[in-house]
Amino acid sequence: MNRYARNLRGYGPFPPDPEWPGNARVAVQFVLNYEEGGENNVLHGDAASEAFLSDIPGAAQWPGQRHWNMESMYEYGARAGFWRLHRLFTRAGIPLTIYGVATALARNPEQVEAMKDAGWEIASHGLKWIEHKDMPDADERAAIAEAVRLHTEVVGERPRGWYTGRCSENTVRLVAEEGGFDYISDTYDDDLPYWLEIAGRDQLIIPYTLEANDMRFAVSPGWSDGEDFFNYLKNAFDALYEEGETDTPKMMSIGLHCRLVGRPGKIMALRKFIDHIQSREGVWCPRRIEIAEHWAKHHPPQQAMQPSRMARSEFVERFGGIFEHSPWIAERAFGLELGPAHDCAAGIQNALCRMFRSASRDERLGVLKAHPDLAGKLARAGRLTAESTSEQASAGLDLLTDEERATFTSLNTAYVERHGFPFIIAVRDHDKASILAAFQRRIDNDGGTEFTEACRQVERIAHHRLKDLFS
């Protein structure tokens, strides 16, 4: 099977109403990444010092050496930045989710105690704040297990949420296979949670953010002024707040770091943003675990039709009749590079139409000839496909007067004699009168024009049939 693994569709044009508590128009969720003491450091058994997310421009790792300046910037986050953020959020009455690196938590007991006393969720941010992209499966699986063990030992309970950050292509699968997490956040692909089937179980994904994130104080392009950060957060919130009124409520994740936004010159932007959202009604500021619990209760996983995962026989059985008596179209469509984006009416329509359009003229003519006459002998004998029977009935073609039937018979005969195939029209777009008008208008078209129009109508019929099937 030629299948494309990425999901480029998501919820499509109609995301679900999350039904946030209190009919909130937006859920604003703050994450504080706690990494200080878990970063790359030769003291931690790593080969080199840290080089990521600090105020040192163009920082590079120092192999085999301690980087004193880098260490001290991370230490600022633990010694000063954390407490400044702790005061801000506890005074504002907004609970945080901590993404806690297990080894960092173990080296910061006073901060862990403050997190717990504040009622903050402490999710796992992995064992160490290091790169995982080149880590073998077995090593990463072992690191996940050790992160859970150490986290449970230090915090007093196992983590229910997970975010690696510097992850590998295997991270989400391996964490899901661990089996104990209410949610995973190693994605950035949506404004709402969603379910992902992994290893035979449904895993909740709560996407995170790298753009509404203070890490952009330490990367390029990024921010050097707190006002830039505030304006970005405000604009993002205002857009989502408006969508929550006119469209569908969403979720806004905000990522923070003790050593970055915890600096005096940056935290005022965060304070201004908190004042801004607290001046609005209909804003919910939960921990991520509360989002997970809410989603599991109000939007449990659903078993939808997934054509991209069907075996050939099932695929052809389901879609072989979409183009009248032409299962070869579905046979060929099965061989395309199908993926989750095709698991909807528009996706299968596109796949089937591609095969119809790329077929030879004789093959397409065969599809046209497979269609029955409108209100013809097959209809009167009850020998139409179920789809054609329903479609003709929808336009009242099963309830013709003798005069109307005679008119259709005469037009059908003249049309076939002129063009070599039956008159085809998507009857569900019409009523009896407009069908007759189209019949009379099109019958005198030249052969090429009418062949093209008939093919277009065949595709339109397929559109309606697939809409029915997926609804």
Side-chain angles (χ1 to χ4, degrees):
M1 293 169 63
N2 183 20
R3 295 297 177 257
Y4 190 63
R6 297 169 64 197
N7 187 342
L8 302 177
R9 177 172 180 256
Y11 287 118
F14 304 110
D17 182 347
E19 303 175 49
W20 297 136
N23 294 316
R25 290 166 62 170
V26 61
V28 180
Q29 203 289 303
F30 293 91
V31 168
L32 180 59
N33 294 266
Y34 203 88
E35 299 152 353
E36 288 77 8
E39 78 277 17
N40 280 286
N41 192 310
V42 294
L43 295 178
H44 305 158
D46 301 309
S49 60
E50 186 56 69
F52 192 43
L53 293 190
S54 79
D55 285 322
I56 301 176
Q61 287 191 316
W62 289 8
Q65 298 182 59
R66 294 176 64 185
H67 192 315
W68 196 260
N69 290 345
M70 180 65 73
E71 287 184 23
S72 67
M73 288 186 174
Y74 270 77
E75 287 161 12
Y76 183 92
R79 293 161 59 114
F82 171 82
W83 298 108
R84 186 169 285 118
L85 289 161
H86 183 270
R87 289 190 293 271
L88 174 63
F89 281 99
T90 53
R91 289 170 183 172
I94 296 177
L96 297 184
T97 288
I98 300 292
Y99 283 166
V101 174
T103 50
L105 297 176
R107 295 182 175 114
N108 290 269
E110 196 168 23
Q111 291 89 335
V112 171
E113 181 178 67
M115 297 170 193
K116 295 174 65 176
D117 288 346
W120 295 352
E121 175 198 4
I122 308 179
S124 182
H125 198 5
L127 180 63
K128 300 173 69 174
W129 178 231
I130 60 173
E131 190 64 72
H132 292 74
K133 68 180 181 66
D134 297 319
M135 192 177 288
D137 264 25
D139 292 351
E140 188 172 4
R141 194 187 301 275
I144 292 167
E146 177 58 15
V148 173
R149 186 204 68 78
L150 182 58
H151 183 111
T152 304
E153 181 180 282
V154 171
V155 176
E157 57 185 7
R158 72 156 285 151
R160 296 172 62 186
W162 180 278
Y163 173 72
T164 299
R166 299 158 83 171
C167 65
S168 76
E169 63 176 301
N170 304 307
T171 297
V172 172
R173 172 179 59 82
L174 294 173
V175 176
E177 289 175 356
E178 195 274 344
F181 288 97
D182 291 56
Y183 69 89
I184 299 172
S185 287
D186 275 301
T187 67
Y188 313 96
D189 53 1
D190 215 301
D191 297 313
L192 288 172
Y194 60 88
W195 296 95
L196 189 63
E197 185 180 340
I198 305 174
R201 66 185 296 267
D202 293 304
Q203 176 64 61
L204 183 63
I205 305 296
I206 304 182
Y208 186 46
T209 177
L210 295 182
E211 41 88 39
N213 192 312
D214 69 355
M215 69 175 287
R216 292 184 62 183
F217 282 113
V219 298
S220 180
W223 300 304
S224 59
D225 190 301
E227 286 302 304
D228 294 334
F229 186 41
F230 166 72
N231 287 328
Y232 189 89
L233 295 182
K234 178 181 180 299
N235 288 338
F237 169 81
D238 288 349
L240 293 172
Y241 191 76
E242 181 179 308
E243 286 183 16
E245 178 66 22
T246 61
D247 185 23
T248 304
K250 304 292 194 315
M251 173 186 73
M252 179 180 181
S253 296
I254 299 172
L256 307 171
H257 298 77
C258 302
R259 62 192 176 278
L260 296 177
V261 80
R263 294 279 182 174
K266 299 168 185 171
I267 200 167
M268 292 304 293
L270 187 57
R271 183 181 298 178
K272 283 178 62 178
F273 178 71
I274 290 173
D275 289 343
H276 179 67
I277 67 173
Q278 290 191 325
S279 71
R280 302 293 190 273
E281 295 182 353
V283 180
W284 182 40
C285 292
R287 303 171 302 166
R288 276 174 113 70
I289 190 61
E290 290 161 341
I291 291 177
E293 292 170 344
H294 175 87
W295 206 263
K297 178 179 179 180
H298 293 271
H299 301 279
Q302 303 289 327
Q303 290 299 321
M305 184 162 55
Q306 296 178 296
S308 66
R309 302 178 68 173
M310 290 179 179
R312 180 184 297 273
S313 58
E314 182 183 3
F315 187 92
V316 175
E317 182 180 356
R318 287 289 186 103
F319 306 116
I322 298 299
F323 282 72
E324 194 85 2
H325 297 296
S326 302
W328 61 267
I329 295 177
E331 286 273 2
R332 294 181 188 177
F334 181 82
L336 292 174
E337 184 191 65
L338 304 180
H342 293 88
D343 293 339
C344 58
I348 296 302
Q349 166 90 7
N350 183 270
L352 296 176
C353 286
R354 284 176 60 187
M355 297 298 92
F356 177 61
R357 294 165 190 164
S358 61
S360 69
R361 192 184 190 284
D362 285 346
E363 287 173 321
R364 284 179 288 151
L365 180 60
V367 175
L368 301 187
K369 288 182 174 181
H371 278 259
D373 291 334
L374 292 183
K377 294 179 181 179
L378 291 178
R380 294 195 295 275
R383 292 170 55 196
L384 299 182
T385 63
E387 293 85 357
S388 289
T389 299
S390 175
E391 288 156 1
Q392 295 203 20
S394 71
L397 299 185
D398 59 336
L399 298 172
L400 298 177
T401 65
D402 290 342
E403 182 180 353
E404 289 171 334
R405 187 174 296 106
T407 299
F408 269 100
T409 299
S410 175
L411 288 170
N412 280 330
T413 300
Y415 185 94
V416 173
E417 287 178 354
R418 178 172 176 82
H419 296 293
F421 51 84
F423 176 76
I424 300 171
I425 192 168
V427 296
R428 286 167 62 173
D429 293 332
H430 298 273
D431 58 20
K432 187 165 51 179
S434 66
I435 291 171
L436 276 171
F439 217 147
Q440 291 162 342
R441 183 181 68 252
R442 287 172 46 189
I443 196 168
D444 291 326
N445 281 341
D446 65 83
T449 298
E450 194 54 23
F451 183 86
T452 299
E453 179 60 23
C455 288
R456 190 179 73 82
Q457 292 296 324
V458 164
E459 293 187 11
R460 184 66 180 166
I461 292 168
H463 165 83
H464 286 303
R465 292 179 177 181
L466 287 165
K467 285 288 186 181
D468 289 345
L469 193 57
F470 277 86
S471 67

